[in-house]
């Protein structure tokens, strides 16, 4: 696993952009200006970045209700995402989808998804298309620990295995399905235990460590691209905020998040590693920090100032004639 | 040695046997449910040889939860399990759990520790176990240090040693160990093999590619081993008890004085170029050739080093003690510990000796 300086800076920028996007939304949502629900991905950045750093235009991903991180990592425009979340016409879906329905098919982002376990069936379709058209593409479903208990996921694992599809099923296990601890709701304790039942390899990685995720993702993607079939990867991870903004999180320990931020922050760990190995100067990453903050700030200002969809927009993009 | 209470520790690594080698090779999978079953079988055996108390490392991955449920269920007829106590650590599901738990077990006077894991897990236990002997059961990937044995037998021998019915002198042997220091400070150890590689990051830990492997140090080398030590084992086998180890400088195939086809991971058999082979004597300090890279300990990348670091490797003879499972059971048989004659009791089943 050798990463160039440019690769390392790209990964850092990707994770930092996700973090600042979410931190800013946490503040802005409290003002009441943002319609609907938002589910923040802060704390989980190394997972989205570790996988999406390997992807290109051939590849497709399907996300969850917690989809901002995957969207940014797959290349969705930050300004258009922010406008979408604010419900503005300039948004990726014309402002009519909001946080949970951000999609950009041109970027291979098949959508955040309000349906828990809704992503896996989609990537079976994308994987089948890639296989039949011989594009060399792969399809990845990011699923939460709650979503991984859904029947849709079970059916998709089976289908992907039977058809030997170039698919990856990534369980981002942050320990809670909404507010229910996975310790109480997951029969097998460890999701990788389920992989062998579907005749595919399953591994666990530390989701706080970008390099661990990146390497595991690279091997699974290489396997899928070369016709080896699907894989299941459990990313053990933590979220910094509640299930949704406004969640009182009474189910978490008093200092749980504080401790996570102090000891397992993927950005902090990344910086420590690359600086320790004298691969990137702190100044280079500080410059990224400044640029990312400016980008997010600008995206919020423009989103707030942008016009809403008009009444005439209500019936556009709703029905398709075949 | 008489003990009033026979106490045994159990360390089961919930993460062992599920790393990236399931993806890049065909390494076997050890589900948590099977680890739970192994622990319950060991508990049955420990109870059968009169162990009073068992200390178990708690975890956050679900193994503790499974054991608690097993403890609440009715015991199989005729079985007596020891008291079970989870040692008082807050599991963070990292390597630190193992170190902390083993230290507490040693402080509490366990007479043996049963380890469920691979070479990596045993390496961690060895760092904190001091003089307490290990009964090592394989549930990992590269398993050279632990053996593939039935957990019931592991429970019996751990109990026999902890209760003093078979003495340490009869049952145990001491392992060699490879020590790693960085800038003059002891950093870590390896039980079987230590390898340097130009990879820049620890990443997903396992080392399964032969490309770029630079130097390999082994405390022992078995010709039938799996993992990096097999490279040395196929050049010059060295037993666990031999008073020396081996050090190989590796190189690209085209520059190699000999090429070894070695099983460096389950299902992965590759050609490795060997430049030189040198006997590694205890106490000699060998600096690494590479200026930047990672050091893998027992097959797992653990230490990243930069050009500013001075990294030294040495072999020592004061490694952890292991219980020789076969020998312990032979001694028990010779002493008739499991035999009842006339009205006598089964002496293996009595309390501490």
């Amino acid at each position: 696993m050798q990463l160039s300086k440019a690769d390392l800076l790209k990964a850092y920028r990707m994770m930092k952009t996700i973090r600042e996007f979410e931190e800013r939304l946490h503040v802005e949502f409290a003002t009441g200006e943002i319609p609907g629900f938002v589910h923040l991905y802060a704390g989980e950045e190394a997972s989205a970045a570790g996988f999406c750093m390997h992807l290109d235009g051939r590849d497709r991903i399907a996300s969850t209700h917690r989809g901002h991180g995957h969207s940014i990592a797959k290349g969705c425009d930050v300004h258009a995402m922010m406008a979408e979340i604010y419900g503005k016409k300039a948004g990726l879906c014309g402002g009519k989808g909001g946080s949970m329905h951000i999609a950009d098919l041109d970027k291979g982002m098949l959508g955040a998804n309000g349906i828990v376990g809704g992503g896996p069936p989609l990537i079976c379709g994308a994987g089948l298309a890639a296989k039949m058209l011989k594009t060399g593409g792969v399809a990845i479903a990011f699923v939460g620990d709650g979503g991984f208990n859904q029947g849709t996921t079970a059916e998709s694992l089976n289908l992907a295995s039977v058809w030997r599809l170039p698919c990856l099923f990534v369980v981002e296990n942050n320990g809670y399905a909404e507010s229910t601890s996975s310790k109480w709701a997951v029969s097998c304790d460890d999701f990788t235990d389920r992989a062998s039942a579907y005749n595919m390899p399953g591994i666990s990685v530390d989701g706080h460590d970008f390099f661990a995720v990146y390497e595991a993702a690279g091997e699974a993607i290489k396997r899928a691209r070369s016709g080896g079939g699907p894989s299941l990867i459990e990313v053990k991870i933590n979220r910094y905020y509640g299930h949704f903004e406004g969640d009182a999180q009474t189910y978490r320990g008093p200092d749980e998040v504080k401790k996570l931020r102090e000891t397992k922050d993927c950005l902090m760990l990344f910086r420590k590693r690359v600086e320790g190995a004298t691969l990137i100067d702190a100044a280079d990453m500080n410059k990224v920090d400044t640029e990312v903050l400016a980008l997010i700030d600008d995206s919020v200002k423009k989103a707030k100032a942008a016009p809403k969809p008009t009444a005439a927009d209500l019936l556009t993009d709703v029905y398709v004639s075949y | 040695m008489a003990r009033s209470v026979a106490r045994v520790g159990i360390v089961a690594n919930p993460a062992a046997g599920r790393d990236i080698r399931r993806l890049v090779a065909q390494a076997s999978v050890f589900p948590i449910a099977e680890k739970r079953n192994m622990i319950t079988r060991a508990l049955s055996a420990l109870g059968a040889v009169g162990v009073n108390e068992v200390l178990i490392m708690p975890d956050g991955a679900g193994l503790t939860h499974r054991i608690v449920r097993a403890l609440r269920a009715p015991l199989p007829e005729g079985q007596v399990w020891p008291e079970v106590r989870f040692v008082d650590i807050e599991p963070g599901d990292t390597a630190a759990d193992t170190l902390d738990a083993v230290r507490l077990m040693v402080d509490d006077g366990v007479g043996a520790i049963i380890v469920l894991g691979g070479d990596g897990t045993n390496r961690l236990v060895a760092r904190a176990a001091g003089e307490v002997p290990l009964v090592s059961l394989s549930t990992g990937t590269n398993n050279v240090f632990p053996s593939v044995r039935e957990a019931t037998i592991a429970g019996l021998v751990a109990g026999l040693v902890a209760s003093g019915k078979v003495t340490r002198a009869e049952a145990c042997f001491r392992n060699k160990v490879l020590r790693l220091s960085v800038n003059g400070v002891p950093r870590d150890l390896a039980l079987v093999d230590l390898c340097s590689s130009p990879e820049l990051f620890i990443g997903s830990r396992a080392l399964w590619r032969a490309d770029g492997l630079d130097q390999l140090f082994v405390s022992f080398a078995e010709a039938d081993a799996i993992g990096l030590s097999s490279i040395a084992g196929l050049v010059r086998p060295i037993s666990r008890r031999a008073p020396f180890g081996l050090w190989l400088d590796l190189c690209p195939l085209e520059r190699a004085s000999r090429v070894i086809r070695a099983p460096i991971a389950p299902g992965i058999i590759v050609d490795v170029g060997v430049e030189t082979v040198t006997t590694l004597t205890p106490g000699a300090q060998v600096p690494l050739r590479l200026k930047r890279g990672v050091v893998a300990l027992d097959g797992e990348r653990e230490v990243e080093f930069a050009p500013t670091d001075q990294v030294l490797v040495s072999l020592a003879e004061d490694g952890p003690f292991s219980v020789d499972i076969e020998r312990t059971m032979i001694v028990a048989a010779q002493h008739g510990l499991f035999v009842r004659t006339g009205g006598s009791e089964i002496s293996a089943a009595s309390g501490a000796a």
Side-chain angles (χ1 to χ4, degrees):
Chain A
M1 179 185 50
Q2 305 294 18
L3 284 149
S4 66
K5 183 178 174 183
D7 290 335
L8 290 167
L9 277 171
K10 182 181 172 190
Y12 181 72
R13 184 183 295 275
M14 198 182 270
M15 292 195 290
K16 186 70 180 174
T17 305
I18 299 169
R19 174 66 58 84
E20 294 304 334
F21 192 93
E22 300 296 62
E23 294 288 9
R24 185 64 182 267
L25 275 179
H26 174 68
V27 173
E28 298 296 338
F29 190 83
T31 67
E33 273 191 82
I34 295 173
F37 265 132
V38 295
H39 305 77
L40 301 182
Y41 192 72
E44 306 187 13
E45 296 84 351
S47 177
F51 282 90
C52 292
M53 279 285 290
H54 293 282
L55 303 184
D56 58 36
R58 298 169 291 174
D59 304 318
R60 306 283 180 266
I61 67 167
S63 180
T64 69
H65 53 280
R66 199 177 305 288
H68 306 162
H70 307 128
S71 304
I72 291 171
K74 193 65 176 72
C76 295
D77 180 74
V78 167
H79 279 89
M81 281 179 61
M82 194 64 86
E84 184 62 38
I85 291 166
Y86 271 85
K88 300 301 176 70
K89 190 175 166 72
L92 269 178
C93 304
K96 297 187 292 182
S99 167
M100 269 193 282
H101 302 282
I102 288 179
D104 188 346
L105 301 187
D106 292 338
K107 298 283 185 188
M109 166 58 183
L110 302 183
N113 208 312
I115 305 297
V116 175
L122 298 180
I123 68 138
C124 286
L128 181 62
K131 183 173 179 171
M132 295 187 76
L133 297 172
K134 297 185 171 52
T135 65
V138 299
I140 300 179
F142 293 96
V143 194
D145 41 299
F148 223 77
N149 277 343
Q150 294 294 310
T152 46
T153 304
E155 292 175 43
S156 303
L157 284 161
N158 187 62
L159 193 64
S161 181
V162 168
W163 285 349
R164 211 175 175 79
L165 298 178
C167 292
L168 271 65
F169 297 88
V170 179
V171 198
E172 294 182 325
N173 182 359
N174 63 26
Y176 300 101
E178 297 194 2
S179 60
T180 305
S181 167
S182 55
K183 290 185 179 68
W184 293 97
V186 181
S187 60
C188 57
D189 301 316
D190 198 318
F191 287 105
T192 55
D193 288 350
R194 292 185 183 166
S196 59
Y198 295 101
N199 195 24
M200 66 176 77
I203 62 164
S204 294
V205 291
D206 177 0
H208 309 99
D209 180 350
F210 166 80
F211 299 102
V213 178
Y214 178 82
E215 188 170 45
E219 292 297 335
I221 289 166
K222 187 168 80 178
R223 184 174 180 276
R225 286 202 203 287
S226 60
S231 304
L232 189 165
I233 298 162
E234 179 184 22
V235 184
K236 291 183 184 289
I237 215 166
N238 294 99
R239 57 168 148 87
Y240 287 170
Y241 292 108
H243 169 62
F244 56 90
E245 279 305 280
D247 176 2
Q249 301 186 75
T250 52
Y251 49 89
R252 299 184 91 165
D255 287 330
E256 187 178 317
V257 174
K258 181 171 175 282
K259 202 171 158 189
L260 287 169
R261 282 186 183 265
E262 287 169 0
T263 60
K264 292 193 169 182
D265 178 1
C266 60
L267 281 154
M268 174 192 76
L269 295 174
F270 182 96
R271 284 192 71 131
K272 205 170 149 188
R273 299 280 285 285
V274 296
E275 285 178 31
T278 62
L279 294 169
I280 305 185
D281 294 335
D284 290 334
M285 286 185 282
N286 292 341
K287 183 165 172 279
V288 170
D289 291 353
T290 307
E291 289 168 359
V292 166
L293 280 171
L295 170 72
I296 302 300
D297 202 43
D298 190 53
S299 72
V300 172
K301 278 184 190 148
K302 285 185 173 146
K304 285 183 176 181
K308 291 180 178 175
T310 63
D313 294 320
L314 282 174
L315 293 178
T316 61
D317 307 324
V318 177
Y319 299 106
V320 172
S321 299
Y322 290 103
Chain B
M1 186 172 62
R3 284 192 184 86
S4 55
V5 175
R7 204 173 269 139
V8 168
I10 298 180
V11 173
N13 177 0
R18 48 210 330 126
D19 70 20
I20 195 168
R21 285 168 285 193
R22 277 87 213 145
L23 192 60
V24 297
Q26 294 81 45
S28 54
V29 178
F30 255 98
I32 282 182
E34 177 52 22
K35 291 174 188 167
R36 186 278 315 270
N37 291 343
M38 289 173 75
I39 290 174
T40 57
R41 299 203 297 274
L43 288 172
S44 300
L46 289 162
V49 291
V51 168
N52 312 87
E53 189 176 37
V54 171
L55 309 186
I56 299 182
M57 176 179 82
D59 74 320
L63 190 50
T64 301
H65 181 58
R66 300 274 153 192
I67 296 166
V68 168
R69 286 178 70 167
L71 291 168
R72 285 181 187 152
L75 282 181
E77 196 177 333
Q79 287 196 13
V80 180
W81 282 6
E83 286 295 317
V84 171
R85 179 157 61 87
F86 291 94
V87 293
D88 188 16
I89 62 165
E90 189 181 330
D93 293 330
T94 67
D97 291 357
T98 302
L99 294 170
D100 293 343
V102 172
R103 285 187 193 112
L104 290 174
M105 289 175 188
V106 172
D107 289 347
D108 273 350
V110 295
I113 298 174
I114 299 173
V115 185
L116 277 66
D119 289 339
T121 309
N122 278 278
R123 180 179 65 80
L124 287 168
V125 174
R127 280 174 56 182
E131 305 278 304
V132 177
L134 314 183
V135 181
S136 301
L137 287 178
S138 168
T139 64
T141 309
N142 283 1
N143 298 314
V144 178
F145 189 83
S147 47
V148 179
R149 301 298 297 246
E150 166 53 37
T152 314
I153 310 303
L156 291 177
V157 300
L160 292 171
V161 172
S163 61
K165 291 170 193 134
V166 176
T167 66
R168 284 176 59 111
E170 291 171 308
C172 301
F173 65 93
R174 189 153 210 177
N175 295 278
K176 289 171 283 183
V177 67
L178 293 159
R179 295 195 189 283
L180 180 79
S181 74
V182 180
N183 301 325
V185 179
R187 178 67 175 269
D188 212 322
L189 58 81
L191 295 173
V192 184
D193 54 55
L194 184 156
C195 191
S196 58
S197 155
E199 297 253 1
L200 291 178
F201 298 104
I202 289 170
S204 56
R205 294 193 177 274
L207 196 59
W208 72 92
R209 301 183 194 98
D211 304 346
L213 296 182
D214 192 63
Q215 287 177 295
L216 174 67
F217 301 83
V218 295
S219 61
F220 64 97
E222 295 167 338
D224 63 343
I226 184 77
L228 296 176
S229 75
S230 69
I231 301 168
L234 292 167
V235 174
R236 194 196 303 174
I238 292 178
S239 80
R240 286 184 188 227
R241 315 286 176 101
F244 57 87
L246 216 56
W247 147 32
L248 286 76
D249 284 341
L250 308 175
C251 62
L253 300 181
E254 58 276 13
R255 284 206 287 114
S257 62
R258 56 193 126 176
V259 173
I260 313 299
R261 183 160 293 182
I264 63 165
I268 299 183
I269 300 117
V270 293
D271 288 350
V272 182
V274 175
E275 197 172 355
T276 59
V277 180
T278 312
T279 300
L280 184 63
T281 51
Q285 303 270 333
V286 183
L288 294 185
R289 289 193 301 195
L290 287 174
K291 298 299 172 206
R292 180 198 289 280
V294 296
V295 175
L297 303 169
D298 295 324
E300 293 184 354
R301 284 168 277 167
E302 292 287 347
V303 178
E304 296 167 356
F305 60 94
T308 48
D309 296 321
Q310 193 197 16
V311 187
L312 294 174
V313 180
S314 60
L315 179 74
E317 293 182 284
D318 60 348
F321 286 90
S322 284
V323 176
D324 183 328
I325 295 175
E326 183 181 4
R327 183 174 153 77
T328 304
M329 290 305 286
I330 288 172
V331 171
Q334 288 168 342
H335 292 180
L337 297 182
F338 290 93
V339 179
R340 189 207 316 260
T341 52
S344 70
E345 294 293 318
I346 297 284
S347 52
S350 63

